[in-house]
Amino acid sequence: MSHEELMRLFTELESRVRRAARRAAIRSGVARWADDVEQDVLLTLWKRLCGYDPDRCKDMQTYLEVMVQYAIRDALKRYVRWDSREVQFPDGTEL
């Protein structure tokens, strides 16, 4: 697949993936990390698009859906863990 084709496909999928990542972050209680979750998932989408091997998986759509779901899950785990480790002082400042 040429770079132009990859960019076209990425652009087509980007808004859907952004919405899914943001919605998952909000529902998981880490809304303040929603932008970071989006970026992590979009980076995974790009990497998976570039590394797609049709010999290993015939259906690109299914492959990308699964990879995006895994990326959302992994990002949410990471940011939920970060939230639970933050220390908040009585005056509202954080460490």
Side-chain angles (χ1 to χ4, degrees):
M1 213 179 246
S2 73
H3 184 72
E4 290 78 23
E5 290 172 323
L6 289 173
M7 283 302 297
R8 184 189 52 76
L9 187 54
F10 180 83
T11 304
E12 287 175 13
L13 298 172
E14 181 182 11
S15 63
R16 232 175 70 203
V17 169
R18 276 186 189 275
R19 279 193 310 271
R22 180 165 292 277
R23 188 172 40 245
I26 291 168
R27 288 181 180 169
S28 297
V30 290
R32 70 187 189 133
W33 298 106
D35 292 337
D36 298 282
V37 172
E38 277 183 32
Q39 291 302 310
D40 286 357
V41 174
L42 287 172
L43 183 60
T44 298
L45 174 63
W46 179 252
K47 287 179 180 178
R48 297 303 179 181
L49 273 171
C50 292
Y52 174 69
D53 181 5
D55 294 333
R56 294 183 64 200
C57 182
K58 300 294 180 204
D59 184 18
M60 182 183 233
Q61 182 72 26
T62 301
Y63 170 76
L64 292 175
E65 285 175 5
V66 169
M67 293 298 110
V68 165
Q69 289 172 0
Y70 286 159
I72 290 172
R73 184 199 61 195
D74 293 344
L76 291 176
K77 281 183 182 179
R78 184 170 46 257
Y79 291 110
V80 165
R81 192 170 49 246
W82 285 2
D83 254 5
S84 69
R85 292 181 180 172
E86 282 192 349
V87 175
Q88 191 166 31
F89 295 103
D91 65 356
T93 59
E94 294 179 355
L95 181 63

